[in-house]
Amino acid sequence: MLVAFAEEGHAGEINPLLPTLPDLVWGTLAFLIILALFVWKILPNLNKLLDARAEAIEGSINSAEAAQAEAQAALEKYTAQLADARAEAGEIREKARADGSAIVAEMREQATAEAARITSNAHAQIEMERLAALASLRSDVGSLALDLAGGVIGETLSEDAKAQAVVDRFLAELEASEKARS
């Protein structure tokens, strides 16, 4: 139709925009050969390349998802370990407080026992010193009484057993009367 239109308008002129019939046939044949070569050789290779790239992207996505899942699992494990560590630290703190309280109670008990022992020793020492002072006082009072009696009588009384017995009896009666008053 184009050829007929071109021939009708200008019978002798050649239009440079409209190809001739042999150019159209040879151009179409070349286009079909290149198209067949493209579909037969280049398109499968291009599809393989695109498939390989899609697989690589999917593999990267899968590995990223696996890494993310692994990171999430590690985070959960870390969180659990952190919670366990905090609980263990709390238990250790409570045990240390209990141990500290027990140590303080034990030290108070020991201090009380030590104070009681020291008090008991002091009382015993005071009692021994009192008895020693009483014995010393008894002998001093006895000798003073004999000296005083000797001064009253005008004679020296000897320190014999009878005089000592009289002084002891006198002091015992004096102690008995003291105890009766208390």
Side-chain angles (χ1 to χ4, degrees), residues 145-157:
L146 286 176
D147 288 343
L148 186 60
V152 169
I153 299 175
E155 254 180 64
T156 305
L157 297 174

Side-chain angles (χ1 to χ4, degrees), residues 24-151:
L24 267 177
V25 171
W26 284 111
T28 303
L29 186 62
F31 175 75
L32 290 177
I33 291 172
I34 290 174
L35 182 65
L37 182 66
F38 181 78
V39 168
W40 182 51
K41 288 285 188 180
I42 296 174
L43 194 60
N45 288 336
L46 188 62
N47 283 338
K48 285 180 187 176
L49 180 67
L50 291 176
D51 289 343
R53 186 166 183 172
E55 287 177 10
I57 291 172
E58 285 178 14
S60 296
I61 290 172
N62 290 340
S63 65
E65 288 174 353
Q68 186 177 9
E70 187 177 314
Q72 185 66 28
L75 178 64
E76 289 172 1
K77 183 179 177 183
Y78 169 75
T79 305
Q81 286 177 346
L82 185 61
D84 290 344
R86 284 184 179 153
E88 186 177 339
E91 290 172 6
I92 290 171
R93 209 174 18 255
E94 289 302 317
K95 184 178 179 190
R97 283 186 188 138
D99 289 348
S101 297
I103 289 171
V104 167
E106 183 179 334
M107 294 305 267
R108 280 189 187 141
E109 205 174 285
Q110 286 178 356
T112 304
E114 185 68 19
R117 185 186 64 78
I118 290 171
T119 305
S120 174
N121 287 345
H123 285 302
Q125 187 174 358
I126 290 170
E127 184 62 25
M128 286 185 346
E129 288 177 5
R130 188 185 71 78
L131 291 175
L134 189 59
S136 173
L137 186 62
R138 190 176 285 226
S139 70
D140 288 345
V141 168
S143 66
L144 283 175
L146 286 176
D147 288 343
L148 186 60

Side-chain angles (χ1 to χ4, degrees), residues 1-15 18:
M1 188 154 109
L2 285 179
V3 176
F5 175 71
E7 288 179 11
E8 281 180 14
H10 302 307
E13 276 182 45
I14 297 177
N15 187 356
L18 294 177

